[in-house]
Amino acid sequence: MALIVQKFGGSSVSDAESIKRVAKRIVDTRKAGNEVVVAVSAMGDSTDELLDLAHEVTPIPAPRELDMLLTAGERISMALLAMAIKSMGYDARSFTGSQAGMITDAQHGAARIVDVTPGRLRDALDDGAIVIVAGFQGFNRDTRDITTLGRGGSDTTAVALAAALGADICEIYTDVDGIFTADPRVVPRAHKLDRVSSEEMLELAAAGAKVLYIRAVEYARRHGVTLHVRSSFNNNDGTIVYNNSTPDVNGDPVEEPIIAGVAADLSEAKVTVVGVPDVPGKAAQIFKIVAKTNANVDMIVQNVSAAATGRTDISFTLPKSEGQQVLTALKNEQENVGYLGLQYDDQIGKLALVGAGMRTNTGVSAKLFEALFEAGINIEMISTSEIRISVVTRADTINEALRVVHTAFGLDDDNEAQVHGGTGR
Ligand code: ASP
Ligand code: MG
């Protein structure tokens, strides 16, 4: 008997009809002789609606109460799903995050899983029941409070359950057919990948691919959980996200494609510290100030200094949401650092090309730059890792950039990809 963890996102359970459809799918998996554990998200956009409601009540909702509020969303969907399954003649039991043993740290709104104690789930499975767990939520032992794992956290719930229960596979059901070489909403000729390594998936998720949340991919990689990302609207095979402990894949002699895909991110801004004295220690000083704000700096570029002035510019990117506090922190230290000015640009887009085959193939960056040049798209910053090349362009050229790069690397499919619904999440 295999143990399968299935995760259904909000768009797969947006109304009574779709809840019944998902219930049938779960029952089919049970009928096929598997033990089934389900992690479910809140219905449709209800998490956003609850958030809006909170902000109508107060501009800055108390984090503890916000978690109390938001976790109600998953409590609704889990109970409805269990009812639907029971009405089909199968035993089902729903559990909140804390009942399921999702133990987290105390960080409201962005809690990290520190332990999973799925004893009650195991008991329910042993009784022959289908187990439904509220995604996105946990419990802290010290504060004895309910926490949430951050937006999109149900993916992480599913992966953590799969790891703790030793599941054979963790299926992530979504509104697209799997992981594509690019977002099919932007690049219609994107094609579905049959498989992708967790290493590549991590880079894609970090670069803005929204199909899977980065923390879930990280968790799966660390705990050796194989993921199958597939559509809840059909029975087609989706994409396997494999890692070192995935059976049958590692011995596979098939050569890795050079490129796994392209992703774009419009959520970042660029800060330029202008006229930094070009002497040892200045970069350290600047990024110590930035680090104190806990901002997530991504790309960093330092120009050659102008001989005449002995000064240089240092630019870096960071999430827009962290921009203002970083600017304030830097402004407060302007005299200490001795730089001349600050520039802030939130109209940038970041494109990343990812592929494990880059390690052993040359000319990938030249081809990328050539494709952008031919489309008349200016590159403002470049950074690379072993398996990724990222460039910053103007925000309004990013979709065009995605399409031309996708074509240049021969990733275009003959047919247009099908998108079943939802908004990309
Ligand atoms: N309902 C939560 C959210 O919308 C968790 C999830 O969907 O995974 O962020
Ligand atoms: Mg959701």
Side-chain angles (χ1 to χ4, degrees):
M1 212 187 219
L3 197 163
I4 299 181
V5 172
Q6 302 187 319
K7 179 257 172 175
F8 293 93
S11 59
S12 300
V13 291
S14 55
D15 54 21
E17 262 336 289
S18 47
I19 286 175
K20 285 196 247 179
R21 193 167 48 80
V22 164
K24 175 158 186 317
R25 177 145 211 156
I26 295 167
V27 165
D28 286 344
T29 310
R30 180 81 187 87
K31 271 192 205 158
N34 305 295
E35 291 185 315
V36 191
V37 174
V38 175
V40 68
S41 297
M43 293 172 70
D45 295 326
S46 58
T47 306
D48 289 297
E49 285 155 16
L50 290 171
L51 256 179
D52 289 348
L53 195 55
H55 284 104
E56 275 170 44
V57 171
T58 165
I60 306 174
R64 178 188 184 276
E65 302 313 325
L66 195 57
D67 276 357
M68 280 301 214
L69 178 73
L70 295 187
T71 50
E74 271 72 11
R75 203 159 169 149
I76 292 170
S77 54
M78 74 174 192
L80 291 169
L81 193 53
M83 284 174 204
I85 293 171
K86 278 179 102 71
S87 79
M88 293 172 181
Y90 282 77
D91 191 12
R93 272 173 233 171
S94 65
F95 296 92
T96 63
S98 51
Q99 288 176 317
M102 269 309 145
I103 312 298
T104 71
D105 63 18
Q107 179 82 33
H108 285 295
R112 296 207 152 248
I113 298 170
V114 295
D115 194 11
V116 183
T117 54
R120 288 191 72 182
L121 309 189
R122 192 59 260 176
D123 289 346
L125 289 170
D126 291 343
D127 290 347
I130 292 167
V131 166
I132 315 289
V133 178
F136 168 63
Q137 53 182 262
F139 174 77
N140 180 262
R141 282 187 175 130
D142 299 327
T143 61
R144 284 174 291 151
D145 278 330
I146 303 294
T147 55
T148 59
L149 309 178
R151 294 310 304 274
S154 302
D155 287 357
T156 316
T157 302
V159 174
L161 289 172
L165 291 161
D168 295 272
I169 190 122
C170 179
E171 297 181 331
I172 308 280
Y173 285 90
T174 179
D175 50 19
V176 288
D177 282 343
I179 294 160
F180 283 73
T181 47
D183 183 347
R185 292 176 176 83
V186 179
V187 183
R189 298 217 176 267
H191 72 265
K192 196 203 77 187
L193 296 164
D194 290 334
R195 43 179 235 164
V196 62
S197 68
S198 57
E199 184 192 25
E200 289 166 315
M201 194 58 231
L202 264 183
E203 290 277 10
L204 285 168
K210 286 180 204 67
V211 63
L212 274 182
Y213 272 85
I214 187 158
R215 282 180 54 191
V217 185
E218 253 165 13
Y219 203 103
R221 186 167 164 77
R222 207 164 342 111
H223 292 84
V225 175
T226 303
L227 304 177
H228 183 182
V229 180
R230 59 195 306 194
S231 167
S232 64
F233 295 82
N234 61 45
N235 279 313
N236 303 343
D237 280 338
T239 304
I240 298 286
V241 185
Y242 63 93
N243 55 61
N244 294 334
S245 44
T246 304
D248 295 327
V249 175
N250 303 297
D252 196 332
V254 177
E255 215 184 311
E256 296 295 338
I258 299 173
I259 303 302
V262 278
D265 190 349
L266 288 169
S267 68
E268 302 235 314
K270 179 170 77 173
V271 174
T272 303
V273 190
V274 181
V276 180
D278 196 4
V279 294
K282 286 299 160 189
Q285 221 181 339
I286 288 171
F287 287 101
K288 227 184 265 168
I289 297 164
V290 175
K292 270 201 203 130
T293 68
N294 282 324
N296 277 305
V297 171
D298 182 28
M299 292 170 137
I300 301 175
V301 172
Q302 177 175 338
N303 288 333
V304 281
S305 63
T309 60
R311 289 179 184 272
T312 182
D313 297 342
I314 296 179
S315 298
F316 55 91
T317 61
L318 79 184
K320 281 178 192 166
S321 56
E322 295 166 353
Q324 285 317 316
Q325 71 201 62
V326 166
L327 289 178
T328 308
L330 284 171
K331 236 169 253 162
N332 290 341
E333 300 282 341
Q334 177 162 8
E335 237 166 87
N336 262 335
V337 181
Y339 67 84
L340 299 178
L342 284 177
Q343 284 170 4
Y344 184 68
D345 178 358
D346 61 3
Q347 293 303 309
I348 62 163
K350 201 174 65 189
L351 175 147
L353 183 68
V354 174
M358 273 185 207
R359 278 200 191 94
T360 47
N361 279 273
T362 53
V364 175
S365 36
K367 196 174 191 173
L368 169 68
F369 303 154
E370 182 75 19
L372 293 173
F373 161 67
E374 274 168 13
I377 295 169
N378 189 39
I379 301 171
E380 300 179 15
M381 291 169 102
I382 302 168
S383 83
T384 62
S385 82
E386 264 202 308
I387 65 163
R388 173 186 49 78
I389 307 170
S390 303
V391 296
V392 165
T393 71
R394 286 293 88 204
D396 57 7
T397 62
I398 199 76
N399 287 349
E400 171 73 0
L402 274 177
R403 287 189 286 266
V404 298
V405 170
H406 195 267
T407 304
F409 282 90
L411 299 173
D412 287 1
D413 201 60
D414 296 338
N415 302 306
E416 294 210 348
Q418 225 192 323
V419 177
H420 301 286
T423 49
R425 234 340 272 166

